[in-house]
Amino acid sequence: MLAALTGLLATLLLAGPAAATPDPDRDPTARTETSEDAGARTRAAIADGEIPGVDEIVHSDNITPLANIPREDGLTGTNSDIAFQGRYAFAGNYDGFVVYDISRPRSPRIVSQVLCPGAQNDISVSGDLLFLSVDSSRSDDSCSSEAQPATEADSWEGIRVFDISDVRNPRYVSAVETACGSHTHTLVPERRNVYVYVSSYSPDASFPDCQPPHDGISIVKVPRNAPERAALSSFEVLFPDGGFPGDDDGSATTGCHDITAYPALDLAAGACMGDGILLDISRPEAPRVLDRVQDAEHFAFWHSATFSQDGRKVVFTDELGGGGAPTCNATIGDEFGANGIYHVRGRGDDRRLEFQSYYKIPRHQADTENCVAHNGSLIPVPGRDIMVQAWYQGGVSVWEFTDSDNPREIGYFERGPVNGDELAFGGAWSAYYYNGHVYSNDQKGLDVLRIDDRRTDPARWVRLPELNVQTQPTYR
């Protein structure tokens, strides 16, 4: 069935921030012409009340929008990931990052902005350190660098490290170049060091710093007391056989897109293009693959992973269309561009991933709206498995998978199409629950939402001093 969708996606996927065949320097905000019929269908759906109007906000009764902080001048790139520490949210942008004071969720304010171009600027924090991923070739590692072709030997991509002991004046302290750059990264912190798992992919024989085969992840070691000595620790091969070879519908595995670590359980789950993997990270400097799964029929691009609180489930996302295509419609259906729910069976080295079901938002989006499963986090409710998740122009979905065979949406927030006439990139990149509220890094700025529901209310008692969603905490 997926093969029949390939032609449709090929015509639509002309812009996307994390496409299966990525071009990180491409501007994902660039509008893409679609057929006149697609625009006509969108306008008709708006007129009939089937979807909200252009930029119109709609939400379920249990979701209350509290605030939107529009982006300010200076950072005009794509909004990306978010990290949290104390009363601050750190929001990535392809041009740098923004620090928000969220101590008053109804009225967050910008504390500082740092201009430091380098897509995606995937972001994490640990103590006084902040980390940014750079997956676009630059002339050097500085924040004043310029774009430069990956075919040039002196081009730079990798991890940047900042000191955020003064959040009003973050200070750039070091950088580490990594093979094929850093599309995303995952922190595995220890007392003295922070290990950074660097996910990158798509090698090319013409790229001096990104040669095939690229069948693993780079690991960077950052001493907390001397971050200027950050250095590459190793390159760990995760796919000695090369991984999924790829086909007409699914990406070949040439590295990983994203990894979520659960340090308290010594586990990690990797979304690696054509493969989903379960890792033993009891030795953080040497992760070990426990199991690999593939879904050639339904998954086009394994994008990200989330553990349940007990670590007995993993939700993998499929970024069908690379984030730039309209895949949340009746034509694509509810088993493509969705989440896949897996159970972790067995113990020790015999732990295995076992598929249970798919989940996709039940609200069809217009053919002019990019929409696909994207970044989300747990809402920490004892005894239940509930997530909040971004779906680009599909908005923010709150959904429950306590019954893995029957996942269902229990709340949502979304805006109508960015454009009713043509496909235009927009929507929520990341939506995470932190200390009682949902924070979403939308292309229109930072959204703050509150959910009032008996199923999620117990989560309000959970307070964390820090949250990097790709370093999953033990909620208390």
Side-chain angles (χ1 to χ4, degrees):
M1 181 179 178
L2 185 57
L5 305 176
T6 304
L8 171 63
L9 291 178
T11 63
L12 296 176
L13 183 54
L14 300 178
T21 306
D23 179 358
D25 287 317
R26 182 185 296 152
D27 177 10
T29 64
R31 289 180 176 175
T32 305
E33 294 292 338
T34 61
S35 69
E36 292 183 5
D37 287 346
R41 287 194 298 271
T42 299
R43 293 189 295 273
I46 292 172
D48 293 342
E50 297 174 5
I51 62 172
V54 172
D55 285 337
E56 178 187 358
I57 290 176
V58 295
H59 55 85
S60 56
D61 291 342
N62 57 358
I63 300 287
T64 302
L66 298 181
N68 172 264
I69 306 300
R71 64 170 79 216
E72 292 189 348
D73 294 339
L75 302 185
T76 60
T78 300
N79 283 337
S80 56
D81 216 353
I82 320 174
F84 304 89
Q85 188 179 87
R87 68 182 196 183
Y88 300 107
F90 302 82
N93 177 284
Y94 277 33
D95 287 336
F97 64 94
V98 183
V99 182
Y100 295 94
D101 184 331
I102 56 172
S103 56
R104 299 174 62 193
R106 287 184 176 274
S107 53
R109 60 184 181 86
I110 294 176
V111 175
S112 58
Q113 289 193 135
V114 174
L115 179 64
C116 196
Q120 304 181 141
N121 277 334
D122 191 58
I123 192 166
S124 295
V125 294
S126 182
D128 288 339
L129 301 179
L130 179 148
F131 305 84
L132 291 179
S133 281
V134 180
D135 192 26
S136 61
S137 295
R138 314 298 298 177
S139 54
D140 55 55
D141 63 10
S142 73
C143 287
S144 59
S145 64
E146 298 180 351
Q148 181 169 291
T151 52
E152 297 189 19
D154 63 347
S155 292
W156 182 90
E157 301 175 69
I159 290 286
R160 289 171 173 151
V161 184
F162 287 77
D163 183 318
I164 53 169
S165 54
D166 180 359
V167 294
R168 291 169 179 76
N169 295 287
R171 182 172 58 88
Y172 182 22
V173 294
S174 63
V176 178
E177 186 171 15
T178 56
C180 299
S182 174
H183 195 71
T184 66
H185 68 266
T186 303
L187 305 187
V188 184
E190 294 189 324
R191 285 180 56 192
R192 295 183 179 180
N193 303 302
V194 179
Y195 287 95
V196 185
Y197 291 0
V198 176
S199 295
S200 57
Y201 54 97
S202 292
D204 191 289
S206 68
F207 298 165
D209 300 321
C210 185
Q211 291 286 300
H214 184 70
D215 46 16
I217 58 173
S218 298
I219 299 182
V220 172
K221 181 180 178 180
V222 185
R224 289 190 184 277
N225 293 331
E228 67 278 3
R229 297 199 338 244
L232 183 67
S233 173
S234 65
F235 184 87
E236 295 297 315
V237 174
L238 303 180
F239 303 97
D241 64 350
F244 183 64
D247 56 26
D248 290 341
D249 305 316
S251 297
T253 298
T254 59
C256 290
H257 179 276
D258 209 346
I259 292 173
T260 292
Y262 201 155
L265 299 181
D266 287 335
L267 285 176
C272 302
M273 303 182 72
D275 291 87
I277 59 175
L278 186 68
L279 296 165
D280 180 318
I281 59 168
S282 54
R283 295 177 58 212
E285 73 283 5
R288 185 166 54 89
V289 176
L290 295 172
D291 193 25
R292 288 170 44 189
V293 289
Q294 299 171 352
D295 185 349
E297 182 179 358
H298 290 99
F299 263 46
F301 188 87
W302 294 70
H303 175 273
S304 56
T306 302
F307 284 98
S308 60
Q309 292 185 73
D310 62 5
R312 303 303 295 176
K313 300 178 185 180
V314 182
V315 175
F316 288 102
T317 66
D318 173 26
E319 197 182 41
L320 173 69
T327 71
C328 298
N329 53 31
T331 302
I332 301 299
D334 59 5
E335 293 184 342
F336 302 95
N339 297 320
I341 303 168
Y342 286 74
H343 283 183
V344 180
R345 305 292 193 190
R347 296 181 180 277
D349 286 354
D350 293 326
R351 282 171 287 190
R352 297 291 181 265
L353 293 164
E354 183 178 291
F355 173 76
Q356 302 299 304
S357 67
Y358 299 104
Y359 168 77
K360 192 171 183 179
I361 55 173
R363 295 162 286 107
H364 285 161
Q365 305 297 305
D367 290 340
T368 62
E369 294 181 282
N370 62 302
C371 176
V372 75
H374 218 241
N375 292 1
S377 77
L378 291 183
I379 298 180
V381 179
R384 303 184 90 121
D385 298 314
I386 300 177
M387 273 189 73
V388 59
Q389 186 176 6
W391 290 76
Y392 284 116
Q393 287 192 70
V396 175
S397 175
V398 178
W399 63 286
E400 182 167 8
F401 60 104
T402 305
D403 179 355
S404 299
D405 293 326
N406 296 286
R408 61 195 182 99
E409 185 171 75
I410 62 176
Y412 70 91
F413 166 89
E414 68 166 297
R415 292 180 172 87
V418 171
N419 189 294
D421 298 316
E422 60 187 14
L423 178 62
F425 179 82
W429 178 292
S430 300
Y432 299 146
Y433 186 91
Y434 178 69
N435 292 354
H437 293 84
V438 172
Y439 298 88
S440 170
N441 208 13
D442 191 277
Q443 303 316 308
K444 291 188 176 296
L446 182 73
D447 284 318
V448 184
L449 312 173
R450 188 184 72 225
I451 179 167
D452 297 289
D453 191 290
R454 60 175 179 77
R455 292 163 289 193
T456 60
D457 287 346
R460 294 177 181 174
W461 299 101
V462 177
R463 286 291 183 269
L464 299 175
E466 187 174 276
L467 176 63
N468 300 295
V469 170
Q470 287 76 28
T471 305
Q472 200 159 313
T474 299
Y475 293 98
R476 293 285 185 267

